Amino acid sequence: MTISTIHQSVDQFICTFDRILKVTTGTLSASDRPSPAITLASPQLNDREQQLSASLMRINHSGEVCAQALYQGQTMTAKNRRVAAAMEKASEEEFDHLVWCEDRLRELDSHVSYLNPLWYVGSVSMGAIAGMLGDRINLGFVAATEEAVVDHLNDHLKKLPEADVRSRAILEQMQEDERQHGRLAMDSGGRKFPKPVRKMMRSVSKVMTGASRWI
């Protein structure tokens, strides 16, 4: 191994570690796409409504942390470079969601979940395993995950305070993006997971959302 190769490896490791740190701690820079809430006035929320919106947006931020980790794991082990490229593109779009949720949490005078590093490690591992099982399973895992996220976002849209139009605009755009990612995964050859597997995935997700709501 040459000195140049070693330097490249070290630089790549530093960049990756820096990105992981920013993703999990909520210290990212601007997104590629402007937030859907950018043109909307800040709503007047009472203390209960503000706390509810913050807890929901914290859960969604943790979900996007998991999405970044899943895509990273899947990209590392994807057998087909076309599939890996699709994973990377989806990850970039999910990155926007992460920044939007961070910004909204700051507006609500709240914080990201302190459990994010734990969710990240677990999600990278799950993504890597899905990738090693083959591209059809890998893509099917994406589709099943996005299906669960769409349902989860729909539930949050019902729970949001009616006056919180800024959070609502963010979640609605996230939901549309997730639908598109799920359709793309299936159109690219993803294998549809059996209903019991999808149900199990949702149960695991509920554990994460329950903890992130408060911590």
Side-chain angles (χ1 to χ4, degrees):
M1 182 179 289
T2 65
I3 297 296
S4 176
T5 303
I6 293 173
H7 283 168
Q8 288 178 352
S9 298
V10 171
D11 288 344
Q12 185 177 16
F13 173 80
I14 292 173
C15 289
T16 300
F17 182 79
D18 180 65
R19 182 182 176 90
I20 292 172
L21 189 63
K22 289 179 178 178
V23 164
T24 56
T25 58
T27 53
L28 292 169
S29 55
S31 58
D32 289 337
R33 292 179 293 171
S35 170
I38 195 170
T39 61
L40 301 174
S42 296
Q44 295 297 317
L45 304 175
N46 59 39
D47 290 343
R48 185 191 65 80
E49 290 173 330
Q50 182 169 330
Q51 185 178 28
L52 174 58
S53 289
S55 65
L56 294 175
M57 294 308 290
R58 182 159 46 251
I59 290 170
N60 287 301
H61 179 270
S62 289
E64 294 305 322
V65 168
C66 291
Q68 288 293 309
L70 282 170
Y71 281 122
Q72 181 183 0
Q74 290 169 308
T75 300
M76 288 189 302
T77 56
K79 295 175 172 55
N80 185 303
R81 292 315 304 166
R82 179 181 61 82
V83 172
M87 296 290 181
E88 289 175 357
K89 184 177 186 300
S91 175
E92 291 170 3
E93 293 177 354
E94 298 275 358
F95 185 84
D96 292 338
H97 301 173
L98 200 62
V99 177
W100 298 343
C101 288
E102 279 182 26
D103 290 344
R104 186 60 186 138
L105 279 167
R106 280 192 286 269
E107 291 173 357
L108 292 165
D109 195 26
S110 193
H111 61 85
V112 301
S113 174
Y114 301 125
L115 298 174
N116 281 341
L118 176 64
W119 307 142
Y120 195 98
V121 171
S123 297
V124 164
S125 302
M126 290 172 62
I129 291 170
M132 288 188 289
L133 292 175
D135 290 331
R136 288 196 67 202
I137 296 293
N138 202 359
L139 291 165
F141 187 81
V142 171
T145 300
E146 300 294 17
E147 179 185 352
V149 172
V150 167
D151 290 344
H152 152 85
L153 288 170
N154 192 51
D155 181 58
H156 278 202
L157 285 166
K158 293 176 183 177
K159 292 178 179 178
L160 267 179
E162 187 175 348
D164 192 358
V165 292
R166 289 179 69 85
S167 295
R168 186 172 302 279
I170 291 170
L171 296 191
E172 286 176 344
Q173 184 58 58
M174 286 170 58
Q175 189 178 51
E176 179 55 36
D177 290 346
E178 308 294 1
R179 283 198 187 98
Q180 186 176 353
H181 294 162
R183 287 194 296 265
L184 178 61
M186 292 305 294
D187 291 344
S188 299
R191 176 181 175 184
K192 188 172 181 65
F193 281 18
K195 189 173 181 179
V197 175
R198 301 201 305 274
K199 186 175 181 179
M200 181 187 68
M201 291 173 63
R202 295 185 188 206
S203 296
V204 173
S205 175
K206 285 182 179 179
V207 174
M208 182 273 289
T209 57
S212 295
R213 184 183 186 107
W214 307 110
I215 303 175

